Amino acid sequence: SSIYVVDITGNYKKKLHSFPEGESTTSLLHMEREESGVFVVVGTVNLEDIPDYDVSSRGHLRVFELEKIDKEIEIKESFVAETNGRIDCMKLYSEGIPCGCLDNVLYYTWKNRCLFLEANLKVGNCIILIKAEDDYIAIGDLVHGLYVLIYKHEIKTFEIIGRNNSLWVQDVEFVDTEHGPSLLLIDGSGGIYYLEAKNSNLEVVHMFNMGHKISLIKKIVPTHGNVYYLLICPSGKIAAIKTINQQIYQFYKRVEFHVAGQIEQEGFIVGTSDGILDYRYRNFKELNEQGFVDGDIL
């Protein structure tokens, strides 16, 4: 396995760095530090430990420093640490990096071009994703759903702010962090859920079914204009979500209600941005009645 560094300007030659035999990459993170430069943090797993690629295989965190010298990109390994399991996900957060290692969240701090393990917390069964924004860290678990944490630097420990153990987590993005954490969650079947933290739980406030499986949600923050959320389907289709105020929502919802009623009555199908879709499929389990307006219907 290896990492391949490419300069998108085309001014520097491409560079390849190979890992020791039997070691494979599982996650990667790019970070820039004003005081020290540009780095790539790579999580790996040792495939030779257990031939069947068992999750208990040992792993490594490797830190590489990137430098541009004489039209070439130099890759220098500045740090390596062994982990008791593969690192499947990691994210920049404050001055550290939370990592998902099996059923543990590991928190590494960055100092002098090195990573130092400062804290860990056992959550769920198998951590598959980590997202972070402002003070909050979202943890997606393969079996036990979604957790939202904060990290208390002064006492070097995590605190669980909320959890939802009933939803399947495919991907998440934060919506609001100023008034307590709220998130958009997508499951593996096309369901989109808006959740808010209440009384140590992540409660579902709004729901919608897109009618297609969704594999990825990405928060887009344009230089000008409103924030929106891009949804990527494995079929290649895309969609977008944006927030609107309550007055506009009520108006759009009334329009949607009357148009949808005509569709149901006449059995029409709706032409959407991604082709032809039977509206009644989006009404599956009546998910779309709560908090979302179907833009294709409008």
Side-chain angles (χ1 to χ4, degrees):
S1 183
S2 58
I3 57 172
Y4 197 49
V5 181
V6 179
D7 175 48
I8 60 174
T9 66
N11 295 325
Y12 293 85
K13 294 181 181 179
K14 303 172 184 177
K15 194 73 173 184
L16 179 70
H17 180 89
S18 298
F19 294 108
E21 185 177 354
E23 189 170 346
S24 180
T25 57
T26 55
S27 55
L28 183 144
L29 180 68
H30 170 270
M31 64 179 185
E32 296 184 16
R33 290 289 183 264
E34 292 184 3
E35 72 283 0
S36 51
V38 180
F39 297 86
V40 174
V41 183
V42 181
T44 70
V45 63
N46 295 335
L47 298 180
E48 292 183 339
D49 285 355
I50 301 176
D52 295 330
Y53 190 51
D54 190 283
V55 293
S56 61
S57 300
R58 293 179 299 113
H60 289 90
L61 272 178
R62 296 183 179 273
V63 178
F64 297 92
E65 184 174 0
L66 306 183
E67 289 186 283
K68 295 178 178 179
I69 302 175
D70 298 330
K71 296 296 181 179
E72 289 192 4
I73 301 175
E74 295 295 326
I75 305 176
K76 181 177 70 174
E77 187 172 55
S78 60
F79 175 79
V80 59
E82 187 170 309
T83 58
N84 293 321
R86 71 191 197 197
I87 302 294
D88 279 324
C89 47
M90 62 179 84
K91 192 72 175 178
L92 286 177
Y93 171 81
S94 186
E95 294 301 315
I97 302 176
C99 304
C101 181
L102 305 182
D103 58 354
N104 283 276
V105 184
L106 309 178
Y107 188 80
Y108 287 88
T109 55
W110 174 258
K111 186 177 181 180
N112 298 327
R113 291 179 166 82
C114 298
L115 292 173
F116 298 91
L117 181 60
E118 188 170 275
N120 69 84
L121 175 69
K122 181 178 174 64
V123 295
N125 183 269
C126 182
I127 297 170
I128 57 174
L129 69 87
I130 293 179
K131 294 289 181 74
E133 187 170 320
D134 295 332
D135 294 331
Y136 299 103
I137 305 170
I139 304 295
D141 186 77
L142 184 64
V143 178
H144 294 285
L146 180 66
Y147 297 82
V148 172
L149 320 173
I150 59 172
Y151 185 70
K152 296 186 173 182
H153 296 274
E154 64 279 6
I155 57 176
K156 299 180 180 180
T157 187
F158 290 100
E159 178 183 346
I160 299 177
I161 299 299
R163 69 183 76 195
N164 186 304
N165 301 131
S166 62
L167 295 176
W168 173 272
V169 181
Q170 178 70 30
D171 200 3
V172 297
E173 279 287 6
F174 282 98
V175 176
D176 181 28
T177 56
E178 184 177 351
H179 305 95
S182 60
L183 309 95
L184 281 174
L185 177 148
I186 58 174
D187 64 15
S189 61
I192 306 168
Y193 302 83
Y194 173 75
L195 304 99
E196 293 181 349
K198 298 178 181 179
N199 301 321
S200 299
N201 293 315
L202 294 172
E203 297 183 4
V204 176
V205 180
H206 305 309
M207 298 180 285
F208 184 76
N209 190 281
M210 185 174 160
H212 296 285
K213 290 184 178 181
I214 311 167
S215 57
L216 178 69
I217 180 171
K218 177 67 174 178
K219 186 175 185 177
I220 307 297
V221 184
T223 305
H224 303 286
N226 296 327
V227 173
Y228 64 96
Y229 301 85
L230 195 65
L231 306 174
I232 310 297
C233 301
S235 61
K237 298 177 175 64
I238 62 172
I241 296 174
K242 70 174 184 178
T243 58
I244 55 178
N245 64 44
Q246 186 68 18
Q247 185 177 1
I248 294 176
Y249 168 77
Q250 294 293 346
F251 171 73
Y252 283 164
K253 202 63 180 175
R254 287 195 295 270
V255 174
E256 182 196 46
F257 175 79
H258 291 293
V259 174
Q262 188 68 18
I263 293 171
E264 292 284 359
Q265 181 180 349
E266 303 295 336
F268 295 154
I269 55 178
V270 181
T272 71
S273 57
D274 53 72
I276 301 299
L277 176 68
D278 189 331
Y279 171 77
R280 287 168 293 185
Y281 184 71
R282 289 196 179 178
N283 203 30
F284 178 63
K285 293 184 179 179
E286 299 180 346
L287 289 182
N288 68 322
E289 291 187 358
Q290 300 187 49
F292 284 83
V293 177
D294 193 328
D296 285 325
I297 298 298
L298 300 179

